Amino acid sequence: MEHNGDWKTLSNEALTKEEKLKWAKVCYPELVQLVQLLQSSTYTVVLTGAGMSTESGIPDFRSQSGWWKNIDPRKVATVDALEEHYSLFQEFYQTRVKALENIEPHIGHYILAKWEKKNLIQAIATQNVDGLHQKSGSKTVYPLHGSIRSFRCHHCDQAVKEEVFMNEDSCSICGGKLRPNVVLFGETLPSDVWDSAYQSIEQADLVIVIGTSLEVYPVNELPSLTKGKTVLVNVDEVSGFYPFDVIVKGKAKEVLEKLNELLEL
Ligand code: APR
């Protein structure tokens, strides 16, 4: 049997399931290892970062094309920025909200939602504020850095609608500044969400980390909490000392599609 890495081998009708798995073990050993971990795990948590959404058209932060390559996060993503440079803060978040108008989840998001329905994964903890996991049907999602799809007054916490944030400067109740419900640098994460994610990862026997540089505290501590196996799916190397059990170098959507094909063999 051919041993080139041509993925089309998997749809070759002439091959048996055993032959296809044998081929995959030779050409894509990490994918087969991850499939085996997924199938044998009883509690799996997926931890995602901005790399999970780039194939939907949302820039990440620290790649060459990321937000922080052109903008200093301290100027737009801190409470100080909100309080001292409100027009820059407002413009940055209005731009990101507007950019979400034509953004949809990609097939990788839908695969994760399907795996949850099939009880293959139990929860997703995400640093992403785009709501794409929820939009694609995942039910147990812990939005650790909040959401850019809901808004409030920074001073009196009054909830405001998106069109108010996009068109007004101040709160109609107290005159305070309006902001998205994202966790700004230096703010504490929502404690209920953090506790749920912390407990689920602590009890997990498999944690799959997808598309994050793991540069931001405290989320970057989560993978080391589990006593289970850890897997990293990322296009780049991730700095920091993380003894991942399996490393799959690749794009989130493509890797999830391949994993799903192997699972459905
Ligand atoms: N597939 C897999 N990995 C990808 C893909 C992709 N399609 N696209 C990008 N990546 C990788 C990048 O190589 C990078 O290592 O995803 C990682 C994204 O890292 P960051 O841009 O740092 O994003 P993230 O880790 O989510 O940032 C954490 O920082 O700015 C704050 O609050 C913001 O939640 C964000 C936090």
Side-chain angles (χ1 to χ4, degrees):
M1 184 181 72
E2 69 208 29
H3 275 317
N4 70 16
D6 181 346
W7 194 254
K8 287 201 284 292
T9 307
L10 221 59
S11 38
N12 179 340
E13 306 282 315
L15 298 177
T16 64
K17 175 181 170 179
E18 288 65 31
E19 286 172 327
K20 289 177 181 179
L21 270 177
K22 193 161 156 262
W23 164 82
K25 272 195 186 116
V26 171
C27 298
Y28 298 91
E30 297 84 7
L31 291 184
V32 173
Q33 216 180 339
L34 179 43
V35 164
Q36 288 165 343
L37 288 172
L38 261 168
Q39 290 170 326
S40 55
S41 167
T42 52
Y43 197 97
T44 298
V45 180
V46 176
L47 171 63
T48 63
M52 180 72 208
S53 296
T54 52
E55 288 155 285
S56 279
I58 303 179
D60 65 10
F61 296 96
R62 295 173 183 82
S63 291
Q64 280 322 306
S65 53
W67 282 108
W68 302 151
K69 284 300 164 223
N70 309 309
I71 305 172
D72 177 351
R74 289 165 300 181
K75 292 268 188 303
V76 291
T78 58
V79 173
D80 182 58
L82 191 164
E83 288 170 351
E84 306 304 328
H85 316 283
Y86 186 68
S87 54
L88 200 57
F89 171 93
Q90 186 187 41
E91 187 192 348
F92 175 65
Y93 283 104
Q94 286 179 339
T95 304
R96 286 179 65 191
V97 172
K98 189 137 188 62
L100 276 180
E101 273 169 13
N102 314 312
I103 295 285
E104 291 299 326
H106 57 64
I107 187 158
H109 292 101
Y110 289 105
I111 286 171
L112 290 177
K114 181 171 70 172
W115 289 0
E116 181 187 39
K117 278 193 196 79
K118 291 168 70 174
N119 211 21
L120 210 53
I121 65 172
Q122 278 61 48
I124 296 177
T126 187
Q127 299 169 93
N128 299 340
V129 296
D130 53 39
L132 294 184
H133 286 303
Q134 299 90 327
K135 200 171 179 187
S136 56
S138 288
K139 299 287 179 251
T140 307
V141 180
Y142 304 127
L144 295 161
H145 288 169
S147 169
I148 201 167
R149 293 188 185 270
S150 59
F151 308 85
R152 71 177 190 272
C153 169
H154 180 61
H155 184 69
C156 72
D157 277 343
Q158 169 67 33
V160 297
K161 289 191 181 330
E162 179 174 309
E163 59 267 21
V164 174
F165 174 71
M166 296 302 276
N167 299 303
E168 310 288 327
D169 280 353
S170 54
C171 171
S172 57
I173 309 265
C174 73
K177 294 183 173 72
L178 305 176
R179 58 171 288 173
N181 287 326
V182 296
V183 177
L184 299 173
F185 282 108
E187 289 188 312
T188 48
L189 277 63
S191 53
D192 53 338
V193 176
W194 173 256
D195 292 347
S196 303
Y198 190 103
Q199 283 152 28
S200 68
I201 288 187
E202 234 185 358
Q203 70 172 338
D205 43 28
L206 175 61
V207 176
I208 306 172
V209 178
I210 304 179
T212 173
S213 62
L214 288 176
E215 289 200 14
V216 175
Y217 178 85
V219 174
N220 62 1
E221 303 277 297
L222 287 175
S224 56
L225 284 178
T226 183
K227 297 172 193 62
K229 297 285 186 191
T230 54
V231 178
L232 174 72
V233 177
N234 213 58
V235 286
D236 291 339
E237 302 298 317
V238 168
S239 59
F241 176 66
Y242 287 91
F244 283 101
D245 297 291
V246 180
I247 294 184
V248 179
K249 213 159 150 55
K251 290 187 159 189
K253 177 167 82 85
E254 290 172 14
V255 168
L256 286 164
E257 282 183 291
K258 285 185 159 70
L259 289 170
N260 200 47
E261 276 191 65
L262 290 171
L263 280 164
E264 296 191 345
L265 266 182

